[in-house]
């Protein structure tokens, strides 16, 4: 089915471990985004990508790494997970910047213990 | 840093009541979007308003963009339990800036 898929839906990891969250979209959208959603902070942009091999930092990029070797995939890696990275992570895609609407995945709930 | 403040933060009402959610900023945006998010899911786009003063209707939902393009409102007429969710406004500049959210609960 067309859409945007995130995996896993739930993940528990230990402090210091590396973990990768996957995002795959079938819309062929140019832009992809990673957000984290926390109570009291709303949705905050971590990284975004305008096209394959082009990525840029958002509001809260520290501790995260992204790559985009293919248009349809945009994985987010936590290099050494910390408890402060416990959150719900959303991937989104869009045809472009500006007034284009974003299509969001269903999210990954990550707990760092 | 551009900020979008939404009010109220929480709203709990009975089915059939009317309500208004506000989204305010000190910044001007080229356009503004409203999303609804249900538990366990990502936000879903409801509407985009582009012109200052613009009003858009989506069934029982009415969206308005302020004349100065700094604020917006969402009015729901005769709320239903299916309207329950988190409502997010998002200002459009070079990227989307999301508001703080309004959590709506409609009881039967």
């Amino acid at each position: 089915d067309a859409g945007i898929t995130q995996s896993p839906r739930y993940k528990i990891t230990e402090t210091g471990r590396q973990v990768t969250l996957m995002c795959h979209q079938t819309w062929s959208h140019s832009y992809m985004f990673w957000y984290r959603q926390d109570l009291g902070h709303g949705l905050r942009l971590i990284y975004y990508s305008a096209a394959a091999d082009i990525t840029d930092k958002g509001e809260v990029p520290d501790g995260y790494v992204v790559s985009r070797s293919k248009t349809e995939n945009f994985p987010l890696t936590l290099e050494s997970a910390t408890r402060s990275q416990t959150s719900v992570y959303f991937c989104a895609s869009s045809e472009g910047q500006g007034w284009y609407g974003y299509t969001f995945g269903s999210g990954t709930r990550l707990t760092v213990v | 840093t551009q900020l979008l403040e939404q009010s109220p933060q929480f709203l709990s009402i009975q089915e059939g009541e009317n309500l208004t959610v506000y989204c305010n900023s000190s910044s001007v945006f080229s356009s503004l979007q409203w999303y609804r998010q249900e538990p366990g899911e990502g936000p879903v786009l409801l509407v985009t308003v582009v012109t200052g003063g613009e009003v858009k209707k989506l069934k029982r939902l009415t969206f308005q963009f302020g004349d100065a393009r700094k604020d917006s409102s969402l009015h729901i007429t005769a709320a239903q339990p299916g309207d329950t969710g988190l409502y997010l406004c998002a200002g459009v500049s070079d990227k989307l800036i999301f508001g703080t959210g309004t959590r709506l609960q409609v009881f039967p």
Side-chain angles (χ1 to χ4, degrees), chain A residues 31-86:
Chain A
Y31 283 80
M32 295 188 76
F33 308 85
W34 274 106
Y35 286 86
R36 59 178 291 174
Q37 188 173 37
D38 305 285
L39 279 174
H41 291 281
L43 279 162
R44 292 182 291 175
L45 182 64
I46 304 170
Y47 269 96
Y48 68 102
S49 169
D53 297 321
I54 300 174
T55 62
D56 209 347
K57 295 178 181 179
E59 183 185 352
V60 288
D62 294 343
Y64 303 96
V65 174
V66 293
S67 63
R68 195 159 176 216
S69 57
K70 292 184 178 180
T71 301
E72 61 267 30
N73 298 322
F74 191 38
L76 175 74
T77 298
L78 287 66
E79 294 185 295
S80 178
T82 65
R83 288 197 179 89
S84 65
Q85 292 177 309
T86 293

Side-chain angles (χ1 to χ4, degrees), chain A residues 9 33 35 37 39-43 45 48 57-59 90 97-107, chain B residues 1 30-31 33 35 37 40-45 48 50 86 88 92-100 103:
Chain A
R9 282 301 306 268
F33 308 85
Y35 286 86
Q37 188 173 37
L39 279 174
H41 291 281
L43 279 162
L45 182 64
Y48 68 102
K57 295 178 181 179
E59 183 185 352
F90 287 99
Q97 294 262 61
W99 62 273
Y100 293 93
Y102 287 14
T103 301
F104 283 84
S106 297
Chain B
T1 303
S30 58
S31 60
Q33 299 177 345
Y35 290 77
Q37 184 179 14
E41 297 297 328
V44 175
L45 178 67
T48 301
V50 179
L86 177 67
L88 295 161
V92 179
S93 55
D94 57 338
K95 293 178 287 295
L96 278 190
I97 307 295
F98 280 90
T100 48
R103 193 166 296 278

Side-chain angles (χ1 to χ4, degrees), chain B residues 26-48:
Chain B
S26 56
S27 302
V28 175
F29 292 101
S30 58
S31 60
L32 194 135
Q33 299 177 345
W34 284 92
Y35 290 77
R36 179 169 67 206
Q37 184 179 14
E38 299 187 14
E41 297 297 328
V44 175
L45 178 67
L46 296 174
V47 77
T48 301

